[in-house]
Amino acid sequence: MQDRCDIEHDWFATFLTFGLCCGLIISYLPQHLRIIQSKTSEGLSPTYLFLGSTSAASALLNMATMQSGLLKCCVPLGPIRCLELSAGILQLGIQWFCFTLVFVLYMKYYPEHLKQEGISLPTDNATVAIKSPALRTEWRLSIIFSWLTAIHFILAGFITFFVLITAVPSPSPGEPLPPLAYSWAKFLGISAAVFASIQYAPQLIHTYRSKLVGALSIPMMCIQTPGGVLMVLSIALRPGTNWTSWITFAVAAVLQGTLLVMCFIWKGRQHRLGIDDFGAPLNQPRASTPELEVEVTVPIDGRDVHPSIPTIGPLDERTPLLGTQSRS
């Protein structure tokens, strides 16, 4: 085993990889903090987050499969060399965790007023928001995609584990993977590249249509776009990898750069119009009148049913939050 684990040190690749690991954490922090501080994830596309999470998971499992044989050298070489050998897996693991955390924060801080169908009616003393139980399309897709993301990771992780215990790779980097392991790693790498190549398309369309930056973090993209080039170089220099391991990040860097340019353009437009990243007017005090939410239950019996809107009179501190609804 010691002879087969005779792997040369590549200090440049190692330091580059660990530098990128720190850079990944730092680059994602602005996006995490932006959603938390603004308490909204409006402006992010759920399809973009779904494709990004599944792409990152596929890339991580691809790297784990490609380098699984090298990890057997951890016992004879010791913990320091083991950390060096597994740096690529650590790097992609951080990438997956940080991006998936964006998806988690997106679901947690999704605006309540955008979850359900409804209308807002202005009155003399307040704005009354009438909400229906029917979910809006984007929120419904967000729920579906969140479940699909979890199912994909669990299923792909189980298959990877099964492949690696049935087709055991050699620890020598010069020896090819067993056919089953190589085919699975290639499938993961290609699927990750496909997901990454179309990942930014939904976000580009979403941002273009809204003409607002929304909850997107420009500092994150400013760090990650050039960092994508370094990540490609870092992965390509790792032992036991091929083009399927780094093509994901090459495609993503180009598309992310396009999104960054678009956000700069919309920033300039927002400044000219005097609105913030979410379309609200700048330098204007918020309305002092409260907004009341009235829950309306719409029966589903195959017919078009229009909910009756409760009559709302003068509002004061004794006015109940839920108006009286007439039964049909």
Side-chain angles (χ1 to χ4, degrees):
M1 176 68 74
Q2 182 68 40
D3 294 337
R4 303 178 74 183
C5 292
D6 187 16
I7 303 172
E8 295 183 0
H9 288 276
D10 190 341
W11 296 112
F12 174 74
T14 301
F15 282 117
L16 179 60
T17 299
F18 281 108
L20 285 173
C21 288
C22 298
L24 276 173
I25 298 174
I26 295 173
S27 69
Y28 273 103
L29 278 178
Q31 182 65 77
H32 297 156
L33 292 176
R34 177 166 174 79
I35 297 175
I36 295 172
Q37 291 175 351
S38 61
K39 291 182 173 56
T40 180
S41 58
E42 185 177 359
L44 293 174
S45 167
T47 310
Y48 154 72
L49 295 173
F50 165 69
L51 293 173
S53 298
T54 51
S55 174
S58 297
L60 170 61
L61 295 175
N62 165 272
M63 178 68 77
T65 304
M66 296 291 294
Q67 294 195 313
S68 58
L70 294 176
L71 296 181
K72 297 178 181 179
C73 297
C74 286
V75 175
L77 296 182
I80 302 299
R81 291 284 284 133
C82 179
L83 186 61
E84 178 185 346
L85 292 175
S86 61
I89 299 176
L90 177 63
Q91 176 182 339
L92 296 186
I94 293 175
Q95 165 79 13
W96 168 80
F97 176 80
C98 290
F99 195 96
T100 304
L101 182 57
V102 176
F103 201 172
V104 173
L105 293 174
Y106 166 84
M107 296 296 293
K108 177 177 175 59
Y109 289 99
Y110 193 89
E112 290 292 333
H113 68 280
L114 297 179
K115 290 183 178 180
Q116 295 172 280
E117 300 286 354
I119 59 174
S120 296
L121 299 177
T123 65
D124 293 338
N125 299 322
T127 298
V128 179
I130 302 179
K131 298 167 65 176
S132 163
L135 299 179
R136 293 194 177 186
T137 302
E138 186 175 87
W139 177 237
R140 188 166 59 250
L141 282 176
S142 301
I143 297 174
I144 294 173
F145 284 151
S146 64
W147 278 106
L148 288 178
T149 300
I151 293 172
H152 169 268
F153 182 74
I154 294 172
L155 183 60
F158 174 79
I159 295 175
T160 301
F161 176 77
F162 177 79
V163 167
L164 294 180
I165 62 176
T166 55
V168 182
S170 169
S172 177
E175 295 185 20
L177 289 172
L180 179 60
Y182 178 79
S183 298
W184 176 242
K186 188 174 182 179
F187 170 77
L188 288 172
I190 293 176
S191 61
V194 171
F195 289 146
S197 64
I198 61 177
Q199 165 189 349
Y200 284 92
Q203 187 62 60
L204 286 166
I205 295 172
H206 188 91
T207 304
Y208 177 79
R209 288 177 175 174
S210 67
K211 293 180 171 55
L212 295 169
V213 174
L216 283 170
S217 172
I218 290 180
M220 178 195 71
M221 291 186 285
C222 286
I223 298 172
Q224 288 188 353
T225 300
V229 179
L230 293 177
M231 179 172 287
V232 170
L233 179 61
S234 169
I235 295 175
L237 293 175
R238 302 305 307 171
T241 62
N242 58 21
W243 65 271
T244 64
S245 300
W246 56 260
I247 189 64
T248 304
F249 303 96
V251 175
V254 174
L255 296 179
Q256 189 176 49
T258 305
L259 180 62
L260 177 60
V261 172
M262 182 183 295
C263 286
F264 277 126
I265 295 174
W266 292 157
K267 266 289 189 181
R269 176 180 178 272
Q270 291 168 195
H271 180 72
R272 293 193 302 271
L273 296 178
I275 57 178
D276 64 12
D277 291 337
F278 302 96
L282 294 171
N283 302 323
Q284 288 189 12
R286 293 189 176 185
S288 59
T289 57
E291 179 176 290
L292 301 182
E293 292 187 357
V294 180
E295 298 288 343
V296 178
T297 302
V298 183
I300 304 298
D301 57 1
R303 297 179 292 107
D304 292 333
V305 179
H306 300 281
S308 59
I309 300 174
T311 302
I312 299 190
L315 302 174
D316 56 28
E317 64 274 5
R318 296 183 301 274
T319 304
L321 291 180
L322 295 179
T324 305
Q325 301 180 29
S326 61
R327 298 182 179 269
S328 56

